[in-house]
Amino acid sequence: MKNYKNTSDTISTVGSMLLFLLFAVCMMMIIAAAAGSYSRISDNYGTNFTASASIRYISNKIKSADKVDVSQNIMVLENGGATNVIYYSNGGLYEKTVAAGTEYELSGGDMIFELNGMEINETDEFYKITINVGGETSAALVRKGK
């Protein structure tokens, strides 16, 4: 008589291993898809945070200033005895504080945010702040004070 027990044990073992291998491959595919999704979410969050934070930073500076002068990518904000110069240069938003009435250069300021572009336009009632970060453009209007 033939002993079929060894054959059935081998088939059962191979079947179990194939089922485990299929499970492992599916799990690896799910992990790879989740990692890609997380990476995209993280990149978008960083871009959106930088854009909104830089717009809020500039708008708060405008609201707190006594006098605001705007020309192209430069804002000169006078407040008391100090003058804050906010400008876009070399891929970043920079701020420099100098004494009121002194000459200044657009270099040597502190980098506040890394940006791809900034534009500030002045109308009769508003300042329009446009920020470009990572190919995405965000804009906001800030009412002129005083």
Side-chain angles (χ1 to χ4, degrees):
M1 262 201 171
K2 287 189 170 186
N3 187 359
Y4 292 104
K5 185 166 175 49
N6 290 341
T7 305
S8 66
D9 285 344
T10 303
I11 292 173
S12 176
T13 303
V14 169
S16 296
M17 288 183 169
L18 286 175
L19 188 61
F20 178 74
L21 181 65
L22 179 64
F23 174 75
V25 168
C26 288
M27 289 306 296
M28 294 300 279
M29 289 175 28
I30 289 171
I31 290 171
S37 295
Y38 177 78
S39 176
R40 283 190 307 278
I41 290 169
S42 179
D43 290 344
N44 288 338
Y45 177 77
T47 299
N48 290 338
F49 174 79
T50 300
S52 65
S54 59
I55 287 174
R56 282 181 296 188
Y57 183 81
I58 294 170
S59 65
N60 286 337
K61 287 288 192 173
I62 290 171
K63 291 174 186 176
S64 67
D66 293 334
K67 182 180 176 190
V68 178
D69 291 322
V70 175
S71 64
Q72 294 180 346
N73 295 333
I74 304 166
M75 290 186 70
V76 179
L77 308 157
E78 293 181 16
N79 195 5
T83 300
N84 288 332
V85 181
I86 298 176
Y87 60 97
Y88 171 76
S89 178
N90 299 326
L93 179 67
Y94 290 86
E95 180 178 22
K96 185 175 190 175
T97 303
V98 296
T102 60
E103 294 292 322
Y104 58 87
E105 295 180 5
L106 297 181
S107 64
D110 296 324
M111 180 185 265
I112 308 298
F113 295 103
E114 289 184 19
L115 304 176
N116 296 103
M118 178 188 82
E119 186 177 335
I120 300 172
N121 297 317
E122 183 177 4
T123 63
D124 290 337
E125 296 181 29
F126 297 103
Y127 296 104
K128 181 179 181 185
I129 304 166
T130 306
I131 300 291
N132 187 328
V133 179
E136 299 288 325
T137 301
S138 299
L141 294 174
V142 178
R143 184 180 306 274
K144 288 184 176 181
K146 302 173 182 123

